[in-house]
Amino acid sequence: MTSTASSPDTREGQRPEEQQLSWQRRLRRFGHVARPREDVGARLVPPYTEPGPRLWMTLGVSEAGADKLVRCSAWLGPLLVTLVAGVMRFWNLGSPKAVIFDETYYAKDAWALIHRGFEVNWPEKINDDVLRQGGDLAIPHDAAYVVHPPVGKYVIGAGEWLFGFDPFGWRFMTAVLGTLSVLMLCRIGRRLFRSTFLGCLAGALLAVDGLHFVMSRTALLDQVLMFFVLAAFGCLLIDRDRARARLAAALPVDEDGTVRPDLHVAQTLRLGWRPWRWAAGLCLGLAFGTKWNGLYVMVFLCLMTVFWDVGARRVAGAVRPYRAVLRRDVLPAFVSTVPVALATYVVSWLGWILSPTDGSGGYYRDWAATAGRGGDWTWLPDWVRSLWHYEHAVYEFHVGLSSPHTYQSNPWSWIVDGRPVSYFYESPAPGRDGCPADTAEKCAREVLALGTPLLWWAAAFALLYVLWRWAFRRDWRAGAILCGVLAGYLPWFFYQERTIFFFYAVVFVPFLCLALAMLIGAVLGPPGSTERRRLVGAAASGVLVLLIFWNFIYFWPIYTGTAIPIDSWRSRMWLDTWV
């Protein structure tokens, strides 16, 4: 499939070699190729690829049946992949029956938030009581100082409200969002690549990624953040298609039905109401309201969608597409995303805002009326000044966090699975907690937040491929994938002295899966490849995918806390840094 985001040959009176930029000619040695001329309408809205007639002939399917299967597969394929992902994520979800890793904060904060409207101080050694008494446990009243916004905890609390204050309850919603994210990625990949197969492949890779799987079965905030980031990306992708379709519909059509560029339309057409951008703003606000690094994602994705508009107007015939976008699109794009996101963030604090101001409400809720009296900003409502003070205190905490931790890691090591995080570990004796009675030594039960190694190592090469594809083939799809990775990954390099963990990387795992799916699509061969080329590509791709699936199955016990003999556990510790 050809790219749809670089300059078309639309300037009249010039030879093609004059239209080609000098830097493009210089980059030929690295694989850059000029875009072939084609229908502008197809460039703005590329068609979806479909299996060739030979496949249907081999399967004995009629033409009408083939059309029906193609239409059904657009949803049936993603739903089947999602079903498998959901069964895996919900299987024995309440195990281990323990408060694992940072669930000690978020599970209890979520329970307090849905009952009090703000987080409270729990006694230090209360986890055993939580597991024993559940919802019958009395909730303290003293407000707690917490450093993350409330959206993710409200999401976790929804599961607790439905199913109780126990491991299944507080993990339920992360499992739901983890499952739904697989469905979203299948559909996003299908729209991005114009291929149902590659979309389902990207979703299947996400379904068998160990980090995403473990985070789907743990009540932490990062999985919630990942979901809203992916949802925002999907909304912007739909908006891109609809805006380009509107632009294509306004362009003139030749007698032979070919859509041709038009300078006036490309530079002056207003693209009108774009509800999917408003939806993206809402999702970005929910992401920001889960963890603050969602703010970086908002910046990256908002810039990406503006550049998409530039590419669309250029393809449609604009000579000065940046000027056209600045005049027609930038302000509506800003209004429909940034203010919506910020308003969503503020609304997420409503429980804290409505809590009492007499000292019995949320932490710092009474700051403006006590320690914050006086100053130049007293004309603002007290809740605004108190919330701003709270936010400033949280910011200082985040930038100054440097307490050492056993499982902290540097972001340079993330892409190669350098230092995973152990959420839970026990050594049951033979005959206890699932350890086989005939085991010679003790067993090991661990929940290790480890990305499926072969998937991540292959994705590292896939990132190099999409970087080349974007830089030298000007493929907008590769640029979109890189944007998603960088939005979740790059900001952590500015805080390398801070205490950070590998599981933060779950935010960009879906984009790694898209990158690997794109690489596999290239290995399968471009349209028009010979049968021999297709056969070799299919064999190589199939081996890689099967190895990734096997790798996930192999590490299944240490993703789920299944008791295995200690020697079996040691055989899975491929790197010393995993212990």
Side-chain angles (χ1 to χ4, degrees), residues 375-443:
D376 297 330
W377 300 96
T378 53
W379 55 273
L380 289 172
D382 282 358
W383 71 265
V384 174
R385 295 195 297 126
S386 295
L387 182 59
W388 181 262
H389 178 75
Y390 197 166
E391 303 286 75
H392 182 263
V394 169
Y395 172 78
E396 290 184 334
F397 169 85
H398 280 305
V399 297
L401 180 62
S402 58
S403 303
H405 192 283
T406 303
Y407 289 103
Q408 70 183 66
S409 60
N410 189 282
W412 287 106
S413 69
W414 292 358
I415 207 68
V416 292
D417 263 352
R419 182 58 171 165
V421 181
S422 180
Y423 288 170
F424 171 83
Y425 185 88
E426 284 184 349
S427 300
R432 300 189 60 184
D433 294 333
C435 183
D438 58 351
T439 303
E441 297 184 72
K442 62 184 179 180
C443 287

Side-chain angles (χ1 to χ4, degrees), residues 1-23:
M1 187 180 79
T2 58
S3 171
T4 59
S6 60
S7 302
D9 298 327
T10 60
R11 300 178 184 179
E12 298 179 358
Q14 294 183 353
R15 296 188 303 274
E17 58 269 21
E18 293 174 334
Q19 297 170 13
Q20 192 175 34
L21 299 176
S22 61
W23 67 268

Side-chain angles (χ1 to χ4, degrees), residues 100-118:
I100 64 175
F101 201 63
D102 279 356
E103 285 184 344
T104 190
Y105 304 116
Y106 305 128
K108 292 180 290 190
D109 283 348
W111 186 250
L113 202 60
I114 63 173
H115 286 86
R116 295 265 189 265
F118 55 91

